[in-house]
Amino acid sequence: MMNRLSQVCALGAALMALNSCSTMTDLVTSKLPESHSGRPTIVVSLRNQEAYIYRAGYLTASSRISSGREGYRTPIGRFHVIRKDEDHRSSLYGDYVDVSGRIVKANVDSRRDSRPPHSHFVGTPMPYFLEFSPGYGLHQGYLPGVPASHGCIRMPYWKARQFYDAAHVGTPVLVKP
């Protein structure tokens, strides 16, 4: 009897944790059907650390983001999606790994950090990449709650996928301060 009670309590605690989890909210809201049609426009507010999709002037989706940190600012202005890549990897930032895939040197800038002997560069994964300016895009990534990227716009997995699915090459992207 006591074992069953502890299992029910553990299940209740897990459900409460999931209910308050922003990842669960992102999953649910990314699966809601859009109530408006028309060509999408992506708007990014660096001040609010949020991104939005508008269709026919109506807000249809939003996401928390993490933009470029000091020294790696996200470009501001009017752009268009110039490339989509579902399985993109960074060509500049990543790890040096050995032939077995073991990380030899982590978190490197391939332009600045020398390659250790018998290793090769593997770029950081950037799933659901929507490039809007050469070298800059929206993609799935870590969100620490502050600007922290090398200039790209990071989003939670489900939201990056939602924005990727909604956008096409040519979709307008407005990045506001």
Side-chain angles (χ1 to χ4, degrees):
M1 180 66 170
M2 194 59 144
N3 190 26
R4 174 69 97 197
L5 180 60
S6 63
Q7 288 175 337
V8 169
C9 288
L11 178 61
L15 287 173
M16 284 179 23
L18 281 175
N19 189 36
S20 65
C21 180
S22 62
T23 301
M24 184 60 91
T25 303
D26 291 338
L27 168 61
V28 170
T29 60
S30 71
K31 296 296 183 185
L32 293 174
E34 292 200 25
S35 57
H36 298 282
S37 61
R39 297 177 66 92
T41 297
I42 297 172
V43 177
V44 177
S45 171
L46 299 180
R47 180 177 295 116
N48 296 336
Q49 290 292 284
E50 296 233 347
Y52 313 96
I53 296 177
Y54 289 90
R55 287 184 186 272
Y58 293 95
L59 177 65
T60 61
S62 65
S63 177
R64 301 169 293 119
I65 66 162
S66 181
S67 61
R69 67 180 188 254
E70 190 66 41
Y72 295 93
R73 293 293 183 198
T74 302
I76 295 169
R78 294 182 182 278
F79 307 94
H80 290 86
V81 172
I82 56 176
R83 179 170 62 121
K84 291 178 65 169
D85 185 351
E86 190 171 346
D87 298 311
H88 186 72
R89 286 189 170 267
S90 175
S91 60
L92 301 177
Y93 306 106
D95 303 316
Y96 286 122
V97 300
D98 64 17
V99 69
S100 67
R102 185 179 59 87
I103 296 174
V104 177
K105 193 173 188 179
N107 299 318
V108 301
D109 179 334
S110 64
R111 299 167 299 182
R112 296 187 179 107
D113 297 305
S114 59
R115 185 177 57 83
H118 312 294
S119 69
H120 63 277
F121 177 78
V122 175
T124 299
M126 301 162 75
Y128 301 107
F129 187 68
L130 293 172
E131 189 172 20
F132 61 85
S133 182
Y136 296 94
L138 296 97
H139 63 82
Q140 186 270 320
Y142 174 63
L143 278 77
V146 295
S149 79
H150 290 104
C152 281
I153 297 165
R154 298 178 190 164
M155 309 173 86
Y157 171 81
W158 293 106
K159 290 298 183 169
R161 187 170 161 184
Q162 181 183 25
F163 276 59
Y164 184 89
D165 289 343
H168 53 82
V169 171
T171 294
V173 178
L174 173 60
V175 181
K176 302 187 315 187

